Amino acid sequence: MDLKTTLLAAFIILGVAGCSTPTAQKTLVASGHPDWPPVMFEDKGQIDGVGPALEKKIFADLGIPAVFPSEGAWDVVQAKARSGEVDVLVAAYKTTAREEYMVYCDTYITDPLVLFVRKGQEFPFSKYQDLVDKTGVGTVGDSYGQNFDNYIQAHLKFIWVNTSKEALDAVESGKADYYIYSLYSGHEELKSENRMAEFSTLPQVVAEEPFYMTISKKSPYVKYAPEINRLMQKYKDDGTVAQLITKYKAQFMLDQK
């Protein structure tokens, strides 16, 4: 065999060997809001809750390696999903802005949004228009459903702060008349800060918003959306999702709605 033939054979062997070597699979990075129990919350640097627990099962079924780090404040986490640094948001409301950079999988839980007010300062509320002469407060990066987001922008006096504690402080001090937040997360925040006696929730729910798992459009895992939806439906049908909701509500002693 001459030198040219020998080199050609070597290149062919190397090429075949290279093609047969499996490409290492990128670890999926999933994150979420650090303070929205029972759906998602930070625990020792990780995101836990109904969403992460369900999605760990789904990713394991699909053979996808996944980690669930806490990536900071909610607006920061969303920015990382936009850039592709975070592949999956474990739970998010659907908004037109988020749909620009994320693919929405199916919903698996709904979340009641209510108004937290200073005790003794309750007011009648049955429709959005009742808030026009009030000042509201919310946390940066949060959505309250597309309809209410639009109404805030068009009609309401509203201030934005960085944390739930700052929002509650604004209501307590009189800078704001109400704080819109998740019923469950808000009650947990008040309990953890020993402030339950200072606040009331108005009885009318502002909205019952569905939470969705989302995938960044820049993620290589976006192609798995149909399989994720299939498995999510399986776990809703067999009672797994209901069991996880019960488990995490019990962990925070949150009453069933």
Side-chain angles (χ1 to χ4, degrees):
M1 184 181 292
D2 60 23
L3 180 59
K4 184 182 292 186
T5 303
T6 302
L7 289 172
L8 179 60
F11 282 128
I12 291 171
I13 291 169
L14 286 171
V16 171
C19 290
S20 63
T21 302
T23 303
Q25 191 172 21
K26 172 186 177 292
T27 297
L28 182 150
V29 177
S31 194
H33 198 298
D35 190 25
W36 209 283
V39 182
M40 49 186 166
F41 57 90
E42 180 180 357
D43 182 27
K44 300 177 182 177
Q46 302 295 305
I47 293 295
D48 196 3
V50 176
L54 170 62
E55 289 151 29
K56 285 175 184 177
K57 290 178 177 291
I58 290 172
F59 297 147
D61 289 347
L62 295 174
I64 296 174
V67 293
F68 291 77
S70 177
E71 292 285 343
W74 185 221
D75 58 328
V76 174
V77 177
Q78 292 174 83
K80 290 182 178 182
R82 182 187 290 274
S83 71
E85 185 178 347
V86 165
D87 296 288
V88 163
L89 296 186
V90 299
Y93 294 164
K94 185 175 286 188
T95 70
T96 52
R98 292 171 181 172
E99 285 183 290
E100 291 179 2
Y101 62 92
M102 295 190 295
V103 169
Y104 276 74
C105 296
D106 288 345
T107 180
Y108 58 90
I109 189 173
T110 58
D111 190 39
L113 291 167
V114 297
L115 302 181
F116 289 84
V117 301
R118 188 170 47 166
K119 188 146 298 190
Q121 299 296 315
E122 296 84 357
F123 55 86
F125 168 70
S126 61
K127 56 188 182 300
Y128 293 171
Q129 289 86 342
D130 294 333
L131 302 175
V132 169
D133 63 344
K134 308 290 185 184
T135 298
V137 61
T139 43
V140 173
D142 282 350
S143 166
Y144 306 108
Q146 191 65 63
N147 288 340
F148 196 72
D149 290 350
N150 292 343
Y151 199 82
I152 290 172
Q153 187 171 10
H155 301 290
L156 298 184
K157 292 178 288 185
F158 216 79
I159 58 177
W160 297 96
V161 295
N162 291 317
T163 67
S164 297
K165 182 181 183 305
E166 291 176 81
L168 292 169
D169 288 345
V171 173
E172 186 178 27
S173 69
K175 291 179 181 177
D177 298 296
Y178 64 90
Y179 172 33
I180 180 171
Y181 197 27
S182 163
L183 172 66
Y184 304 130
S185 302
H187 281 173
E188 174 57 26
E189 179 78 15
L190 291 174
K191 283 192 299 184
S192 67
E193 294 196 12
N194 196 27
R195 301 175 76 175
M196 289 290 287
E198 301 168 23
F199 292 88
S200 300
T201 57
L202 299 187
Q204 176 66 44
V205 172
V206 178
E208 186 93 14
E209 286 296 315
F211 263 127
Y212 303 80
M213 173 188 156
T214 67
I215 311 175
S216 169
K217 289 183 178 180
K218 293 188 177 180
S219 171
Y221 289 103
V222 73
K223 64 184 178 183
Y224 287 94
E227 283 299 293
I228 289 169
N229 285 338
R230 179 183 63 81
L231 289 167
M232 193 171 290
Q233 189 60 53
K234 168 193 167 186
Y235 285 127
K236 285 191 286 187
D237 291 344
D238 71 8
T240 298
V241 172
Q243 290 169 9
L244 290 172
I245 292 171
T246 298
K247 171 187 173 182
Y248 282 99
K249 280 185 176 179
Q251 178 175 328
F252 288 92
M253 294 184 292
L254 300 170
D255 293 332
Q256 297 281 351
K257 180 168 171 60

PDB file of all heavy atoms in Angstrom, residues 55-83:
ATOM      1  N   GLU A  55     -41.502  19.165  36.638  1.00  0.00           N
ATOM      2  CA  GLU A  55     -40.628  19.197  35.476  1.00  0.00           C
ATOM      3  C   GLU A  55     -39.410  18.295  35.633  1.00  0.00           C
ATOM      4  O   GLU A  55     -38.887  17.768  34.645  1.00  0.00           O
ATOM      5  CB  GLU A  55     -40.250  20.650  35.180  1.00  0.00           C
ATOM      6  CG  GLU A  55     -41.465  21.405  34.631  1.00  0.00           C
ATOM      7  CD  GLU A  55     -41.502  22.884  34.927  1.00  0.00           C
ATOM      8  OE1 GLU A  55     -40.408  23.488  35.059  1.00  0.00           O
ATOM      9  OE2 GLU A  55     -42.615  23.447  35.021  1.00  0.00           O
ATOM     10  N   LYS A  56     -38.972  18.063  36.848  1.00  0.00           N
ATOM     11  CA  LYS A  56     -37.910  17.076  37.067  1.00  0.00           C
ATOM     12  C   LYS A  56     -38.363  15.694  36.611  1.00  0.00           C
ATOM     13  O   LYS A  56     -37.588  14.937  36.010  1.00  0.00           O
ATOM     14  CB  LYS A  56     -37.503  17.042  38.543  1.00  0.00           C
ATOM     15  CG  LYS A  56     -36.649  18.228  38.964  1.00  0.00           C
ATOM     16  CD  LYS A  56     -36.373  18.227  40.467  1.00  0.00           C
ATOM     17  CE  LYS A  56     -35.597  19.470  40.877  1.00  0.00           C
ATOM     18  NZ  LYS A  56     -35.386  19.537  42.337  1.00  0.00           N
ATOM     19  N   LYS A  57     -39.613  15.353  36.880  1.00  0.00           N
ATOM     20  CA  LYS A  57     -40.154  14.068  36.424  1.00  0.00           C
ATOM     21  C   LYS A  57     -40.184  14.013  34.890  1.00  0.00           C
ATOM     22  O   LYS A  57     -39.810  13.004  34.285  1.00  0.00           O
ATOM     23  CB  LYS A  57     -41.569  13.861  36.974  1.00  0.00           C
ATOM     24  CG  LYS A  57     -41.662  13.621  38.470  1.00  0.00           C
ATOM     25  CD  LYS A  57     -43.109  13.481  38.900  1.00  0.00           C
ATOM     26  CE  LYS A  57     -43.231  13.173  40.387  1.00  0.00           C
ATOM     27  NZ  LYS A  57     -42.721  11.802  40.696  1.00  0.00           N
ATOM     28  N   ILE A  58     -40.648  15.085  34.280  1.00  0.00           N
ATOM     29  CA  ILE A  58     -40.762  15.122  32.821  1.00  0.00           C
ATOM     30  C   ILE A  58     -39.401  15.018  32.167  1.00  0.00           C
ATOM     31  O   ILE A  58     -39.203  14.229  31.224  1.00  0.00           O
ATOM     32  CB  ILE A  58     -41.488  16.415  32.396  1.00  0.00           C
ATOM     33  CG1 ILE A  58     -42.963  16.339  32.798  1.00  0.00           C
ATOM     34  CG2 ILE A  58     -41.352  16.652  30.893  1.00  0.00           C
ATOM     35  CD1 ILE A  58     -43.727  17.636  32.604  1.00  0.00           C
ATOM     36  N   PHE A  59     -38.422  15.789  32.645  1.00  0.00           N
ATOM     37  CA  PHE A  59     -37.088  15.759  32.037  1.00  0.00           C
ATOM     38  C   PHE A  59     -36.420  14.399  32.246  1.00  0.00           C
ATOM     39  O   PHE A  59     -35.701  13.912  31.365  1.00  0.00           O
ATOM     40  CB  PHE A  59     -36.217  16.875  32.604  1.00  0.00           C
ATOM     41  CG  PHE A  59     -36.740  18.258  32.312  1.00  0.00           C
ATOM     42  CD1 PHE A  59     -36.549  19.288  33.217  1.00  0.00           C
ATOM     43  CD2 PHE A  59     -37.432  18.536  31.144  1.00  0.00           C
ATOM     44  CE1 PHE A  59     -37.038  20.564  32.960  1.00  0.00           C
ATOM     45  CE2 PHE A  59     -37.931  19.804  30.878  1.00  0.00           C
ATOM     46  CZ  PHE A  59     -37.726  20.819  31.782  1.00  0.00           C
ATOM     47  N   ALA A  60     -36.665  13.790  33.405  1.00  0.00           N
ATOM     48  CA  ALA A  60     -36.117  12.444  33.644  1.00  0.00           C
ATOM     49  C   ALA A  60     -36.714  11.449  32.660  1.00  0.00           C
ATOM     50  O   ALA A  60     -36.005  10.594  32.110  1.00  0.00           O
ATOM     51  CB  ALA A  60     -36.394  12.011  35.080  1.00  0.00           C
ATOM     52  N   ASP A  61     -38.017  11.536  32.409  1.00  0.00           N
ATOM     53  CA  ASP A  61     -38.665  10.652  31.433  1.00  0.00           C
ATOM     54  C   ASP A  61     -38.066  10.816  30.043  1.00  0.00           C
ATOM     55  O   ASP A  61     -37.966   9.847  29.273  1.00  0.00           O
ATOM     56  CB  ASP A  61     -40.164  10.939  31.362  1.00  0.00           C
ATOM     57  CG  ASP A  61     -40.923  10.483  32.593  1.00  0.00           C
ATOM     58  OD1 ASP A  61     -40.338   9.727  33.405  1.00  0.00           O
ATOM     59  OD2 ASP A  61     -42.091  10.882  32.758  1.00  0.00           O
ATOM     60  N   LEU A  62     -37.680  12.036  29.705  1.00  0.00           N
ATOM     61  CA  LEU A  62     -37.127  12.322  28.376  1.00  0.00           C
ATOM     62  C   LEU A  62     -35.619  12.109  28.306  1.00  0.00           C
ATOM     63  O   LEU A  62     -35.020  12.258  27.235  1.00  0.00           O
ATOM     64  CB  LEU A  62     -37.455  13.766  27.980  1.00  0.00           C
ATOM     65  CG  LEU A  62     -38.943  14.089  27.783  1.00  0.00           C
ATOM     66  CD1 LEU A  62     -39.139  15.574  27.544  1.00  0.00           C
ATOM     67  CD2 LEU A  62     -39.517  13.280  26.623  1.00  0.00           C
ATOM     68  N   GLY A  63     -34.997  11.770  29.437  1.00  0.00           N
ATOM     69  CA  GLY A  63     -33.553  11.561  29.453  1.00  0.00           C
ATOM     70  C   GLY A  63     -32.766  12.848  29.294  1.00  0.00           C
ATOM     71  O   GLY A  63     -31.637  12.839  28.797  1.00  0.00           O
ATOM     72  N   ILE A  64     -33.352  13.972  29.742  1.00  0.00           N
ATOM     73  CA  ILE A  64     -32.705  15.269  29.610  1.00  0.00           C
ATOM     74  C   ILE A  64     -32.037  15.643  30.937  1.00  0.00           C
ATOM     75  O   ILE A  64     -32.713  15.745  31.964  1.00  0.00           O
ATOM     76  CB  ILE A  64     -33.735  16.361  29.236  1.00  0.00           C
ATOM     77  CG1 ILE A  64     -34.336  16.079  27.860  1.00  0.00           C
ATOM     78  CG2 ILE A  64     -33.089  17.744  29.261  1.00  0.00           C
ATOM     79  CD1 ILE A  64     -35.457  17.024  27.477  1.00  0.00           C
ATOM     80  N   PRO A  65     -30.724  15.847  30.943  1.00  0.00           N
ATOM     81  CA  PRO A  65     -30.064  16.298  32.175  1.00  0.00           C
ATOM     82  C   PRO A  65     -30.481  17.734  32.486  1.00  0.00           C
ATOM     83  O   PRO A  65     -30.462  18.606  31.614  1.00  0.00           O
ATOM     84  CB  PRO A  65     -28.566  16.211  31.838  1.00  0.00           C
ATOM     85  CG  PRO A  65     -28.504  16.344  30.347  1.00  0.00           C
ATOM     86  CD  PRO A  65     -29.770  15.727  29.816  1.00  0.00           C
ATOM     87  N   ALA A  66     -30.881  17.998  33.733  1.00  0.00           N
ATOM     88  CA  ALA A  66     -31.411  19.313  34.067  1.00  0.00           C
ATOM     89  C   ALA A  66     -30.971  19.741  35.460  1.00  0.00           C
ATOM     90  O   ALA A  66     -30.822  18.912  36.364  1.00  0.00           O
ATOM     91  CB  ALA A  66     -32.939  19.303  33.991  1.00  0.00           C
ATOM     92  N   VAL A  67     -30.758  21.037  35.603  1.00  0.00           N
ATOM     93  CA  VAL A  67     -30.468  21.639  36.909  1.00  0.00           C
ATOM     94  C   VAL A  67     -31.455  22.776  37.126  1.00  0.00           C
ATOM     95  O   VAL A  67     -32.001  23.339  36.175  1.00  0.00           O
ATOM     96  CB  VAL A  67     -29.020  22.156  36.995  1.00  0.00           C
ATOM     97  CG1 VAL A  67     -28.038  20.991  36.967  1.00  0.00           C
ATOM     98  CG2 VAL A  67     -28.714  23.139  35.852  1.00  0.00           C
ATOM     99  N   PHE A  68     -31.686  23.130  38.407  1.00  0.00           N
ATOM    100  CA  PHE A  68     -32.705  24.114  38.770  1.00  0.00           C
ATOM    101  C   PHE A  68     -32.124  25.181  39.702  1.00  0.00           C
ATOM    102  O   PHE A  68     -32.573  25.346  40.831  1.00  0.00           O
ATOM    103  CB  PHE A  68     -33.892  23.416  39.426  1.00  0.00           C
ATOM    104  CG  PHE A  68     -34.694  22.569  38.490  1.00  0.00           C
ATOM    105  CD1 PHE A  68     -34.247  21.318  38.087  1.00  0.00           C
ATOM    106  CD2 PHE A  68     -35.905  23.025  37.986  1.00  0.00           C
ATOM    107  CE1 PHE A  68     -34.984  20.529  37.208  1.00  0.00           C
ATOM    108  CE2 PHE A  68     -36.653  22.248  37.111  1.00  0.00           C
ATOM    109  CZ  PHE A  68     -36.188  21.001  36.716  1.00  0.00           C
ATOM    110  N   PRO A  69     -31.143  25.939  39.246  1.00  0.00           N
ATOM    111  CA  PRO A  69     -30.545  26.956  40.116  1.00  0.00           C
ATOM    112  C   PRO A  69     -31.439  28.187  40.251  1.00  0.00           C
ATOM    113  O   PRO A  69     -32.196  28.537  39.341  1.00  0.00           O
ATOM    114  CB  PRO A  69     -29.255  27.322  39.373  1.00  0.00           C
ATOM    115  CG  PRO A  69     -29.600  27.120  37.928  1.00  0.00           C
ATOM    116  CD  PRO A  69     -30.521  25.917  37.905  1.00  0.00           C
ATOM    117  N   SER A  70     -31.343  28.840  41.398  1.00  0.00           N
ATOM    118  CA  SER A  70     -31.955  30.158  41.532  1.00  0.00           C
ATOM    119  C   SER A  70     -31.047  31.151  40.816  1.00  0.00           C
ATOM    120  O   SER A  70     -29.845  31.210  41.089  1.00  0.00           O
ATOM    121  CB  SER A  70     -32.094  30.529  43.011  1.00  0.00           C
ATOM    122  OG  SER A  70     -32.620  31.826  43.147  1.00  0.00           O
ATOM    123  N   GLU A  71     -31.612  31.904  39.888  1.00  0.00           N
ATOM    124  CA  GLU A  71     -30.801  32.797  39.057  1.00  0.00           C
ATOM    125  C   GLU A  71     -31.019  34.274  39.389  1.00  0.00           C
ATOM    126  O   GLU A  71     -30.696  35.146  38.588  1.00  0.00           O
ATOM    127  CB  GLU A  71     -31.110  32.547  37.574  1.00  0.00           C
ATOM    128  CG  GLU A  71     -30.653  31.186  37.068  1.00  0.00           C
ATOM    129  CD  GLU A  71     -29.146  31.105  36.860  1.00  0.00           C
ATOM    130  OE1 GLU A  71     -28.506  32.166  36.797  1.00  0.00           O
ATOM    131  OE2 GLU A  71     -28.618  29.983  36.755  1.00  0.00           O
ATOM    132  N   GLY A  72     -31.587  34.538  40.572  1.00  0.00           N
ATOM    133  CA  GLY A  72     -31.744  35.925  40.980  1.00  0.00           C
ATOM    134  C   GLY A  72     -33.191  36.375  40.968  1.00  0.00           C
ATOM    135  O   GLY A  72     -34.118  35.564  40.989  1.00  0.00           O
ATOM    136  N   ALA A  73     -33.373  37.704  40.953  1.00  0.00           N
ATOM    137  CA  ALA A  73     -34.710  38.292  40.945  1.00  0.00           C
ATOM    138  C   ALA A  73     -35.444  37.899  39.668  1.00  0.00           C
ATOM    139  O   ALA A  73     -34.830  37.566  38.647  1.00  0.00           O
ATOM    140  CB  ALA A  73     -34.617  39.810  41.060  1.00  0.00           C
ATOM    141  N   TRP A  74     -36.781  37.977  39.704  1.00  0.00           N
ATOM    142  CA  TRP A  74     -37.607  37.490  38.604  1.00  0.00           C
ATOM    143  C   TRP A  74     -37.307  38.198  37.287  1.00  0.00           C
ATOM    144  O   TRP A  74     -37.262  37.580  36.233  1.00  0.00           O
ATOM    145  CB  TRP A  74     -39.064  37.641  38.996  1.00  0.00           C
ATOM    146  CG  TRP A  74     -40.098  37.104  38.051  1.00  0.00           C
ATOM    147  CD1 TRP A  74     -41.272  37.712  37.726  1.00  0.00           C
ATOM    148  CD2 TRP A  74     -40.118  35.844  37.354  1.00  0.00           C
ATOM    149  NE1 TRP A  74     -42.016  36.923  36.875  1.00  0.00           N
ATOM    150  CE2 TRP A  74     -41.320  35.773  36.627  1.00  0.00           C
ATOM    151  CE3 TRP A  74     -39.230  34.779  37.268  1.00  0.00           C
ATOM    152  CZ2 TRP A  74     -41.666  34.684  35.823  1.00  0.00           C
ATOM    153  CZ3 TRP A  74     -39.567  33.684  36.467  1.00  0.00           C
ATOM    154  CH2 TRP A  74     -40.770  33.648  35.757  1.00  0.00           C
ATOM    155  N   ASP A  75     -37.083  39.517  37.331  1.00  0.00           N
ATOM    156  CA  ASP A  75     -36.770  40.221  36.083  1.00  0.00           C
ATOM    157  C   ASP A  75     -35.435  39.771  35.517  1.00  0.00           C
ATOM    158  O   ASP A  75     -35.257  39.693  34.296  1.00  0.00           O
ATOM    159  CB  ASP A  75     -36.810  41.742  36.288  1.00  0.00           C
ATOM    160  CG  ASP A  75     -35.862  42.223  37.370  1.00  0.00           C
ATOM    161  OD1 ASP A  75     -35.622  41.482  38.347  1.00  0.00           O
ATOM    162  OD2 ASP A  75     -35.348  43.362  37.244  1.00  0.00           O
ATOM    163  N   VAL A  76     -34.491  39.421  36.384  1.00  0.00           N
ATOM    164  CA  VAL A  76     -33.184  38.911  35.939  1.00  0.00           C
ATOM    165  C   VAL A  76     -33.346  37.530  35.299  1.00  0.00           C
ATOM    166  O   VAL A  76     -32.750  37.239  34.250  1.00  0.00           O
ATOM    167  CB  VAL A  76     -32.194  38.843  37.127  1.00  0.00           C
ATOM    168  CG1 VAL A  76     -30.886  38.169  36.713  1.00  0.00           C
ATOM    169  CG2 VAL A  76     -31.929  40.246  37.676  1.00  0.00           C
ATOM    170  N   VAL A  77     -34.141  36.681  35.916  1.00  0.00           N
ATOM    171  CA  VAL A  77     -34.374  35.333  35.381  1.00  0.00           C
ATOM    172  C   VAL A  77     -35.003  35.413  33.991  1.00  0.00           C
ATOM    173  O   VAL A  77     -34.610  34.690  33.063  1.00  0.00           O
ATOM    174  CB  VAL A  77     -35.276  34.519  36.339  1.00  0.00           C
ATOM    175  CG1 VAL A  77     -35.576  33.145  35.752  1.00  0.00           C
ATOM    176  CG2 VAL A  77     -34.614  34.366  37.698  1.00  0.00           C
ATOM    177  N   GLN A  78     -35.971  36.310  33.833  1.00  0.00           N
ATOM    178  CA  GLN A  78     -36.611  36.464  32.519  1.00  0.00           C
ATOM    179  C   GLN A  78     -35.617  36.966  31.471  1.00  0.00           C
ATOM    180  O   GLN A  78     -35.650  36.528  30.316  1.00  0.00           O
ATOM    181  CB  GLN A  78     -37.798  37.422  32.639  1.00  0.00           C
ATOM    182  CG  GLN A  78     -38.944  36.844  33.450  1.00  0.00           C
ATOM    183  CD  GLN A  78     -40.035  37.866  33.682  1.00  0.00           C
ATOM    184  OE1 GLN A  78     -40.892  38.072  32.823  1.00  0.00           O
ATOM    185  NE2 GLN A  78     -40.013  38.517  34.829  1.00  0.00           N
ATOM    186  N   ALA A  79     -34.740  37.880  31.864  1.00  0.00           N
ATOM    187  CA  ALA A  79     -33.722  38.378  30.928  1.00  0.00           C
ATOM    188  C   ALA A  79     -32.795  37.244  30.493  1.00  0.00           C
ATOM    189  O   ALA A  79     -32.371  37.180  29.325  1.00  0.00           O
ATOM    190  CB  ALA A  79     -32.923  39.503  31.578  1.00  0.00           C
ATOM    191  N   LYS A  80     -32.493  36.326  31.402  1.00  0.00           N
ATOM    192  CA  LYS A  80     -31.629  35.196  31.067  1.00  0.00           C
ATOM    193  C   LYS A  80     -32.343  34.211  30.148  1.00  0.00           C
ATOM    194  O   LYS A  80     -31.709  33.559  29.314  1.00  0.00           O
ATOM    195  CB  LYS A  80     -31.144  34.498  32.339  1.00  0.00           C
ATOM    196  CG  LYS A  80     -30.147  35.337  33.135  1.00  0.00           C
ATOM    197  CD  LYS A  80     -29.637  34.607  34.367  1.00  0.00           C
ATOM    198  CE  LYS A  80     -28.608  35.448  35.110  1.00  0.00           C
ATOM    199  NZ  LYS A  80     -28.057  34.749  36.296  1.00  0.00           N
ATOM    200  N   ALA A  81     -33.664  34.110  30.289  1.00  0.00           N
ATOM    201  CA  ALA A  81     -34.428  33.286  29.348  1.00  0.00           C
ATOM    202  C   ALA A  81     -34.441  33.931  27.966  1.00  0.00           C
ATOM    203  O   ALA A  81     -34.354  33.246  26.935  1.00  0.00           O
ATOM    204  CB  ALA A  81     -35.850  33.081  29.862  1.00  0.00           C
ATOM    205  N   ARG A  82     -34.526  35.236  27.925  1.00  0.00           N
ATOM    206  CA  ARG A  82     -34.507  35.946  26.646  1.00  0.00           C
ATOM    207  C   ARG A  82     -33.174  35.724  25.920  1.00  0.00           C
ATOM    208  O   ARG A  82     -33.141  35.535  24.697  1.00  0.00           O
ATOM    209  CB  ARG A  82     -34.729  37.445  26.860  1.00  0.00           C
ATOM    210  CG  ARG A  82     -34.768  38.258  25.569  1.00  0.00           C
ATOM    211  CD  ARG A  82     -34.831  39.755  25.872  1.00  0.00           C
ATOM    212  NE  ARG A  82     -36.104  40.162  26.424  1.00  0.00           N
ATOM    213  CZ  ARG A  82     -37.157  40.486  25.685  1.00  0.00           C
ATOM    214  NH1 ARG A  82     -37.087  40.457  24.368  1.00  0.00           N
ATOM    215  NH2 ARG A  82     -38.281  40.851  26.267  1.00  0.00           N
ATOM    216  N   SER A  83     -32.077  35.731  26.682  1.00  0.00           N
ATOM    217  CA  SER A  83     -30.753  35.557  26.064  1.00  0.00           C
ATOM    218  C   SER A  83     -30.422  34.102  25.775  1.00  0.00           C
ATOM    219  O   SER A  83     -29.496  33.822  25.023  1.00  0.00           O
ATOM    220  CB  SER A  83     -29.684  36.148  26.989  1.00  0.00           C
ATOM    221  OG  SER A  83     -29.523  35.347  28.151  1.00  0.00           O
TER     222      SER A  83
END
